[in-house]
Amino acid sequence: IVTPEFIEHLCAHGRFSHLGMDRREIEGLLTPGESISYAAFVTRIFDLYASAHGKRLAGDKTPAYVKNVAYLHSLWPETKFVHLIRDGRDVALSIINWEKACNNAGRHVTWREDPVSTTALYWLRKVQLGREGGRSLAPELYYEIRYEALVTDPEGECTKLCAFLGLPYDEAMLNFHEGRTRQKPGLDAKHAWLPVTPGLRDWRSQMGAEQIERFEAVAGALLSDLGYARAFAQPSTQALQNAARMKERFTEDLRAKEDRTPKNW
């Protein structure tokens, strides 16, 4: 049950300002003496946000939610989930070269020894948990989209996505960069506000063969299941042994932190 103390805690959160709302608006969502569940109160916040922006729907793109699709569904049974999946080898390129990798894959005990295998395990776990949760829902509530398809045919993929969401397609979806693009050297695509741009990462040319083999030794089966071509149909015995050792240590680390693993892990 939501209490005034909860609202106090919410408004003090470091990211509260990102909503663009003031405290009085949030406090106004709860009438004096009203008893309301957490899920219902958060729904009111999302409805308020959508209304303030002239929208019928509002969403949240927090990546970590992919681990808890079924739980979130239990709180908001009508919510639709969009699972954006990217080739894990390109994800590895992004994470390994990211200065804040310690916030995701880099927090695992195996990172210092083998960041490539650790990132493969990190990607494998997240994608499997998302698909596992999504497949437990009705088809009209879960939608998978490939990053590569989205950047290759953004209009076509966004049109299909809008159909899933029950929304009309709008060209503004692809014009988000207009008037914002920055040419300052060193900026990544996000902070440079680039338009939809294919090929920002390319594991084929930017990863060494040994790195690719290590990644595929860990997550090759999922790559194939998702339709991604593999460079190594059969990784070497050494690569497979390393993958098994990394997975064992990675899994022990997850259990020590009481983090979930997929059912088929």
Side-chain angles (χ1 to χ4, degrees):
I1 300 300
V2 172
T3 63
E5 289 75 21
F6 171 79
I7 296 177
E8 175 80 25
H9 179 73
L10 172 66
C11 294
H13 193 281
R15 296 186 178 181
F16 173 72
S17 62
H18 294 183
L19 288 172
M21 302 176 184
D22 62 40
R23 179 172 178 153
R24 287 173 297 178
E25 289 181 289
I26 299 299
E27 290 175 336
L29 296 175
L30 190 66
T31 59
E34 183 180 18
S35 178
I36 185 173
S37 70
Y38 168 80
F41 185 72
V42 172
T43 297
R44 291 183 182 181
I45 294 176
F46 274 75
D47 288 345
L48 177 63
Y49 183 87
S51 177
H53 290 80
K55 305 296 182 181
R56 182 164 61 85
L57 299 177
D60 192 326
K61 61 180 181 66
T62 302
Y65 289 168
V66 75
K67 300 183 297 182
N68 299 295
V69 171
Y71 176 67
L72 292 170
H73 170 69
S74 71
L75 294 175
W76 295 282
E78 297 180 0
T79 292
K80 295 188 175 185
F81 294 85
V82 178
H83 189 182
L84 178 63
I85 300 175
R86 187 179 189 180
D87 188 318
R89 292 158 296 191
D90 286 331
V91 173
L93 278 173
S94 181
I95 290 178
I96 290 170
N97 292 294
W98 187 36
E99 61 181 13
K100 295 183 179 180
C102 59
N103 293 337
N104 46 53
R107 71 184 181 87
H108 293 285
V109 69
T110 53
W111 176 261
R112 284 183 176 272
E113 180 181 350
D114 189 345
V116 171
S117 295
T118 302
T119 306
L121 288 160
Y122 174 85
W123 176 81
L124 176 68
R125 172 176 174 255
K126 290 290 187 69
V127 174
Q128 285 186 333
L129 283 172
R131 301 187 93 199
E132 181 180 286
R135 288 172 175 176
S136 70
L137 309 183
E140 64 270 17
L141 297 179
Y142 176 76
Y143 186 83
E144 282 186 9
I145 182 171
R146 298 290 183 273
Y147 171 88
E148 294 77 15
L150 180 61
V151 298
T152 300
D153 180 18
E155 182 176 347
E157 292 299 322
C158 285
T159 298
K160 289 188 287 186
L161 175 59
C162 285
F164 165 74
L165 295 172
L167 297 172
Y169 171 73
D170 191 320
E171 290 183 358
M173 296 176 68
L174 304 183
N175 299 332
F176 60 89
H177 62 287
E178 292 184 356
R180 296 177 172 179
T181 303
R182 302 162 63 192
Q183 303 297 331
K184 185 178 179 180
L187 290 178
D188 59 21
K190 176 181 177 180
H191 294 96
W193 284 94
L194 295 182
V196 176
T197 308
L200 291 174
R201 303 283 181 187
D202 184 5
W203 61 269
R204 296 170 184 81
S205 61
Q206 297 174 351
M207 286 183 80
E210 191 263 346
Q211 290 181 313
I212 296 170
E213 184 179 27
R214 269 190 286 141
F215 190 100
E216 294 186 7
V218 170
L222 180 56
L223 287 170
S224 295
D225 189 39
L226 293 168
Y228 293 117
R230 294 169 59 175
F232 292 84
Q234 181 59 47
S236 67
T237 299
Q238 181 180 1
L240 292 172
Q241 289 175 342
N242 178 71
R245 184 170 61 85
M246 288 295 107
K247 187 172 185 179
E248 182 177 0
R249 292 184 59 205
F250 186 92
T251 303
E252 289 174 355
D253 188 35
L254 290 174
R255 289 172 178 164
K257 296 172 180 174
E258 299 184 347
D259 282 345
R260 294 174 55 228
T261 56
K263 292 178 181 178
N264 61 344
W265 185 253

